[in-house]
Amino acid sequence: NMTAQQCEVVFHDEDNSGGGSSSIIDYNDDDDDVNTIHGRRDWVSKIAAGFKSLENSPPELYKVYAIKFLDSYSYFSVSNVFTLFLSDDFGYSDVEAGAIYGAFGAMITVYGFCIGFLVDNLGVSKSLKLGYGITILGRCGIFL
């Protein structure tokens, strides 16, 4: 039996084999929040368990995540201002600056596909050190 503030949501499987599940949703008008009967802690505990599984990971994993974070931060920082830089400092139109940025992105993608054999031959550690060293030099060169 459900109250007026509850509704049943049925999830069907994609291949229509008759499987699926249902969940009763409790809608609380007081704080306009939707809570499942089983509680919000279900998905929070699943996420926490995922992070807890990393607690015995080797320190190199955290170093790789830190380097990847810094690389992504620098890439997206540059990508946000690259077309503005080309337009303001070099006088390119917005369309030309966008085309140059598109070519830059395409070259990064092609480079990623073509450089795989080098990573296989050098090994992951040497490849990361060489790659990030070249990246740092290249990005510093952009601003000189």
Side-chain angles (χ1 to χ4, degrees):
N1 291 336
M2 291 184 287
T3 67
Q5 293 180 341
Q6 293 177 336
C7 66
E8 184 173 10
V9 178
V10 178
F11 302 98
H12 296 284
D13 59 341
E14 302 225 355
D15 62 358
N16 293 324
S17 64
S21 64
S22 68
S23 178
I24 297 176
I25 305 283
D26 183 15
Y27 180 73
N28 185 350
D29 284 328
D30 296 337
D31 61 355
D32 288 336
D33 196 10
V34 176
N35 299 309
T36 63
I37 297 269
H38 300 292
R40 228 184 261 184
R41 291 188 175 85
D42 265 355
W43 64 271
V44 173
S45 64
K46 287 179 183 178
I47 292 172
F51 281 109
K52 189 163 178 69
S53 70
L54 293 174
E55 80 182 355
N56 294 327
S57 298
E60 291 82 7
L61 179 67
Y62 296 106
K63 291 175 187 174
V64 168
Y65 281 151
I67 290 171
K68 183 61 182 166
F69 170 77
L70 293 173
D71 178 57
S72 297
Y73 182 77
S74 66
Y75 174 78
F76 289 111
S77 296
V78 168
S79 70
N80 282 335
V81 298
F82 190 58
T83 54
L84 297 173
F85 176 71
L86 291 173
S87 296
D88 294 343
D89 291 350
F90 289 103
Y92 287 105
S93 70
D94 289 343
V95 173
E96 292 170 327
I100 292 170
Y101 177 69
F104 172 70
M107 286 188 298
I108 288 173
T109 303
V110 169
Y111 169 79
F113 285 119
C114 294
I115 207 69
F117 76 94
L118 183 63
V119 172
D120 291 339
N121 292 327
L122 285 177
V124 175
S125 178
K126 287 180 184 176
S127 296
L128 283 173
K129 290 173 185 173
L130 179 64
Y132 284 118
I134 292 170
T135 301
I136 288 170
L137 290 175
R139 291 196 177 144
C140 288
I142 288 174
F143 294 109
L144 294 179

